[in-house]
């Protein structure tokens, strides 16, 4: 237990179960003394969240569907009433229709394009707009991305386009909110077996390749990602904003 995030109120969006990257971040933030607000999408998720947080102090859950402006308004209005100020936001949300992650890229439908962009990219902008009003003591916003934004990973398709737009949104948001001492950064994680990896063809082959070829000869863990998130949320990273940090055991720098 440390105190890097003591007395900081942190909103974490995107915990689904104990395998979630957002849960790895929540545990690490809690160990550093943060107060947590976790959002969930449906009632099924609420139950699994309630089990995860059983026995933890200063952690609460709130429903939130990021595709609804009214939902977001309500979430932030509740947070404002209860906490007044927040210091950090973790945005760990992405979605594309499964047919758009399987079929060929040029068959992406207009509707599938909009869905992926709305849930995976616009949601960061919509959250930042509301979070900045509560970040009156400065703040840190972090999101999660993947190298498929820069290089082609077969099947990643529309999510690669969405992650490229997300990384650009990090830079534009960071530029604007920098004037209020709010920092915005992205973690580009190596592959992790979560719900979002479920159904991805040959995912275990991908994990094996990274284990063999990455500088550290292993895949990344939720502890690796949690540690980086604590750094980004804390004052240790006070000079860092608008960046994409690769937490991938060095894999992205391998040529072959
Ligand atoms: C996803 C698809 C194809 C290749 C992939 C992934 N690789 C990795 C992922 C190599 C690591 C996981 N990833 C980084 C994602 O961003 C996944 C996003 C995602 C996953 C699903 C699966 C279920 C569904 N919609 C999804 N939308 C986004 O219906």
């Amino acid at each position: 237990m440390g105190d890097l995030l003591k007395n900081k109120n942190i909103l974490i969006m995107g915990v689904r179960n104990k395998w979630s990257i957002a849960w790895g971040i929540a545990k690490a933030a809690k160990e550093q003394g943060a107060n947590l607000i976790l959002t969930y999408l449906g009632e099924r998720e609420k139950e699994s969240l309630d089990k995860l947080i059983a026995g933890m102090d200063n952690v609460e859950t709130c429903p939130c569907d990021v595709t609804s402006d009214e939902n977001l308004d309500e979430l932030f209005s509740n947070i404002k009433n209860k906490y007044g100020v927040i210091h950090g936001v973790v945005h760990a949300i992405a979605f594309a229709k499964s047919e758009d992650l399987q079929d060929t890229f040029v068959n992406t439908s207009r509707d599938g394009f909009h869905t992926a962009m709305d849930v995976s990219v616009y949601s960061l902008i919509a959250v930042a707009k509301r979070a900045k009003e509560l970040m009156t003591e400065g703040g840190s916003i972090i999101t999660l991305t993947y190298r498929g934004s820069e290089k082609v990973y077969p099947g990643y398709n529309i999510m690669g386009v969405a992650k490229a737009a997300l990384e650009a949104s990090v830079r534009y948001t960071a530029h604007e909110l920098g004037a209020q001492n709010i920092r915005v950064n992205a973690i580009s994680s190596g592959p992790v077996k979560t719900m979002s990896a479920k159904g991805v063809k040959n995912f275990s082959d991908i994990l094996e390749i990274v284990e063999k070829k990455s500088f550290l000869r292993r895949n990344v863990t939720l502890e690796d990602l949690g540690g980086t998130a604590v750094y980004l949320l804390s004052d240790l990273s006070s000079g860092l904003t608008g960046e994409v940090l690769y937490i991938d055991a060095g894999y992205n720098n391998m040529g072959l």
Side-chain angles (χ1 to χ4, degrees):
M1 181 96 180
D3 58 5
L4 289 170
L5 301 177
K6 201 174 156 206
N7 296 325
K8 288 195 195 269
N9 302 326
I10 296 177
L11 171 65
I12 303 187
M13 315 179 78
V15 180
R16 264 185 88 174
N17 56 34
K18 67 173 175 181
W19 312 110
S20 298
I21 291 175
W23 178 242
I25 293 174
K27 276 192 298 182
K30 193 75 226 143
E31 277 171 24
Q32 295 297 331
N35 308 317
L36 303 181
I37 305 140
L38 309 178
T39 70
Y40 59 88
L41 183 54
E43 279 312 301
R44 276 227 319 262
E45 271 78 24
K46 176 174 173 48
E47 275 177 33
S48 71
L49 267 192
D50 282 342
K51 277 184 206 146
L52 283 180
I53 65 170
M56 284 174 129
D57 288 337
N58 302 320
V59 182
E60 69 167 317
T61 63
C62 294
C64 185
D65 173 354
V66 293
T67 63
S68 155
D69 286 332
E70 294 72 35
N71 246 254
L72 285 166
D73 286 340
E74 197 180 325
L75 170 71
F76 281 92
S77 142
N78 288 341
I79 294 174
K80 183 176 180 171
N81 289 338
K82 180 153 178 194
Y83 298 85
V85 51
I86 59 172
H87 305 90
V89 176
V90 177
H91 171 275
I93 294 175
F95 181 77
K97 297 190 172 188
S98 63
E99 62 262 33
D100 290 324
L101 297 173
Q102 278 155 29
D103 203 353
T104 56
F105 179 65
V106 294
N107 276 337
T108 306
S109 66
R110 198 178 294 277
D111 181 46
F113 179 93
H114 285 147
T115 297
M117 289 303 219
D118 188 21
V119 179
S120 316
V121 187
Y122 184 74
S123 60
L124 177 72
I125 301 168
V127 164
K129 170 195 167 94
R130 293 164 176 84
K132 81 170 170 38
E133 301 303 326
L134 306 188
M135 288 182 153
T136 48
E137 300 171 3
S140 170
I141 300 176
I142 69 186
T143 186
L144 280 141
T145 186
Y146 184 59
R147 190 162 187 253
S149 65
E150 293 190 67
K151 302 287 173 188
V152 169
Y153 286 74
Y156 200 56
N157 296 0
I158 190 58
M159 274 312 303
V161 174
K163 291 302 194 187
L166 180 72
E167 291 170 22
S169 302
V170 164
R171 290 184 284 274
Y172 279 93
T173 309
H175 168 250
E176 217 160 274
L177 304 194
Q180 279 182 61
N181 195 28
I182 299 168
R183 301 179 293 103
V184 189
N185 295 287
I187 293 175
S188 189
S189 173
V192 180
K193 207 165 184 174
T194 67
M195 286 295 279
S196 282
K198 232 180 162 169
V200 176
K201 257 198 291 177
N202 307 323
F203 197 77
S204 41
D205 294 343
I206 294 169
L207 290 174
E208 245 174 67
I209 292 169
V210 172
E211 187 177 327
K212 222 183 267 158
K213 296 201 344 186
S214 64
F215 291 179
L216 297 178
R217 276 81 165 177
R218 66 171 179 84
N219 279 287
V220 293
T221 63
L222 294 190
E223 287 72 31
D224 293 326
L225 297 160
T228 300
V230 164
Y231 161 70
L232 290 175
L233 291 167
S234 78
D235 299 336
L236 285 178
S237 59
S238 51
L240 184 80
T241 190
E243 289 293 338
V244 177
L245 277 77
Y246 272 95
I247 305 301
D248 68 342
Y251 182 80
N252 79 93
N253 277 311
M254 279 302 290
L256 186 67

